[in-house]
Amino acid sequence: MLQRPLRAALGAIVLTAACAGAQAATVTLDGWAYDRYSNVSVTDYSGKAGAFGGTLSDAGTFSTTDFITYCIELDESISFGNTITGFDIVGGDAYFGAAKADLLGRLMTVAASETYSDASWKKVGALQLAIWNIVYDTDLTLSSGSFESSNYWLTVGANQLLAAAAALTESAYDVYALEKTGVQDLLLVSLKEPGGGGSAVPEPGTAALALLALGAAGAGLRRRKS
């Protein structure tokens, strides 16, 4: 059985200085990002997967009208076209564990160099599978382990992303989770300051640019467990 994402002891929430004291965030998802998605069949989930987004507000310097994000959980759902309040911004080390948070940051660093055109359905689907693999598995392949995929081309793409992420020595992004009980948790990242000093004061809008980096119009999704 797959393990759920790691939470710190007693549910501690670690925020950057920029987010300290901020009210709970609000998310509105509008449709599929880049008008692309993949149909996937993986451990514990079968259905649509890919990038989705819309608007992130009440989130301090993370707030943006071009929010692009990915699912974290396999066993929760979220709807598009609705405004959902009450998301907590949780530090990546507290939510995923330090090692997984760092690897997710490196994965997003690799993904930021990708372009999204006719084959985007493969790329957005592969990136979602790579994220889930990091969250739910201990290896860096979708060909084996506790989280696997039966989609050949998506598996190839995800494995390539994971291998490239593992080969990086440093992440360009700090990683967070938008967490809300009973609703799909969402991945949030922010560009680090130049020189690797972290993102204590992220630039407005970098949360949107960090996930796929091209600033395309956000789009959301309804994804529920089959």
Side-chain angles (χ1 to χ4, degrees), residues 3 7 10 18 22 26-27 32 35 37 40 52 69 81-82 87 92 126 142 177 180 201 203 216 218-219:
Q3 294 182 345
R7 305 298 198 277
L10 303 180
T26 299
V27 173
W32 291 101
D35 295 322
Y37 64 85
V40 304
F52 51 97
T69 186
N82 296 321
F87 282 93
L142 278 89
K180 180 178 172 67
V201 186
E203 296 180 7

Side-chain angles (χ1 to χ4, degrees), residues 44-46 74-77 223-226:
D44 280 5
Y45 176 72
S46 180
L74 286 163
D75 57 354
E76 290 286 0
S77 63
R223 190 193 68 80
R224 64 185 182 84
K225 185 178 178 183
S226 61

